[in-house]
Amino acid sequence: MAAHVITVANTKGGVGKSTLAVNLAVFAARQGQRVLVIDADPQGSIMQFITVRDGDAPAFQAVQITRPVIHTQVPELAEGYDLVVVDAGGRDNPALRTALLAADTILVPFAPSAFDTWAAEDMLSILRELAPQFEQLRILGVVNKLDQTVIARDALENLREQLADSPVELLDTPIYHRTAWARSIGEGLAVVEHEPRGKAAAEFARLVNALGITP
């Protein structure tokens, strides 16, 4: 059975791509899945996360590929794995586009702010442009870092309108802005390890269920 390949991508920085990617990897590894993470971001956030992670914690393998060859290398790299998570860099470049073409699921995190809503059109333009090359591909959006302010609610409504005529399906599984996310990453943990019964872990579990990550 071929590995499930999820690319986490957005041309806008600061939306939480690496955080979601590494949490997906840990969640699946804790379920006994064999997981490979491809760090396609020159900043190498995933590789840094591994250096602070406890060696006894559920493990996943990781490689860093920042050249535009990901879609050609994934079939070989994915052999022996159940899940491949690609953390794509935050700008429109050939490496990002090959990361998109490598996936069977694209997860696009959106932050609910005016700046992020304005910037979303850049990512949507890329997805529309590449759409003819996608076959049986799921393109899913998730609202990340959501808070309870009026500004965030207005930005979320604007985002919904913006995505209405796009190839992106916005999931009804928002991830709220909680301190558990920053604390867990700093300790080399996923939120399901840091606060297994916390709200952040519960919200993330709903996202994982929507993505269909099962043993």
Side-chain angles (χ1 to χ4, degrees), residues 40-53:
D41 190 337
Q43 292 183 353
S45 299
I46 301 294
M47 310 309 289
Q48 294 174 26
F49 175 85
I50 291 175
T51 64
V52 298
R53 185 162 173 76

Side-chain angles (χ1 to χ4, degrees), residues 16 64 131 142 144 147 165 187 210:
Q64 187 170 28
V142 59
N144 197 25
D147 59 37
D165 62 346
E187 296 174 12

Side-chain angles (χ1 to χ4, degrees), residues 12-191:
K12 177 72 170 62
V15 295
K17 295 183 299 293
S18 297
T19 297
L20 291 180
V22 79
N23 272 270
L24 288 172
V26 172
F27 191 100
R30 283 167 57 88
Q31 292 182 322
Q33 295 192 54
R34 298 161 297 178
V35 183
L36 172 68
V37 176
I38 298 177
D39 191 342
D41 190 337
Q43 292 183 353
S45 299
I46 301 294
M47 310 309 289
Q48 294 174 26
F49 175 85
I50 291 175
T51 64
V52 298
R53 185 162 173 76
D54 189 330
D56 294 329
F60 59 87
Q61 300 300 312
V63 294
Q64 187 170 28
I65 304 175
T66 57
R67 295 180 296 114
V69 295
I70 297 170
H71 67 307
T72 62
Q73 295 193 358
V74 160
E76 181 178 353
L77 290 172
E79 291 184 7
Y81 291 98
D82 303 302
L83 174 67
V84 177
V85 180
V86 184
D87 178 23
R91 65 177 64 183
D92 181 9
N93 58 30
L96 169 70
R97 290 173 177 248
T98 62
L100 296 175
L101 293 172
D104 50 61
T105 300
I106 295 172
L107 180 65
V108 186
F110 296 101
S113 74
F115 283 121
D116 288 272
T117 301
W118 297 334
E121 190 55 41
D122 292 337
M123 186 65 190
L124 296 179
S125 295
I126 295 171
L127 293 172
R128 292 188 184 100
E129 180 182 339
L130 296 180
Q133 302 179 59
F134 295 148
E135 295 182 5
Q136 298 181 339
L137 178 72
R138 301 174 73 203
I139 306 177
L140 307 174
V142 59
V143 177
N144 197 25
K145 303 183 179 181
L146 182 62
D147 59 37
Q148 301 290 351
T149 65
V150 173
I151 293 175
R153 290 197 295 271
D154 289 345
L156 178 56
E157 185 58 34
N158 290 335
L159 177 63
R160 288 193 177 113
E161 294 176 1
Q162 191 173 10
L163 297 182
D165 62 346
S166 81
V168 179
E169 174 192 347
L170 187 62
L171 296 172
D172 189 21
T173 55
I175 302 296
Y176 284 83
H177 184 71
R178 302 190 189 281
T179 57
W181 289 101
R183 288 178 178 173
S184 61
I185 290 295
E187 296 174 12
L189 300 172
V191 289

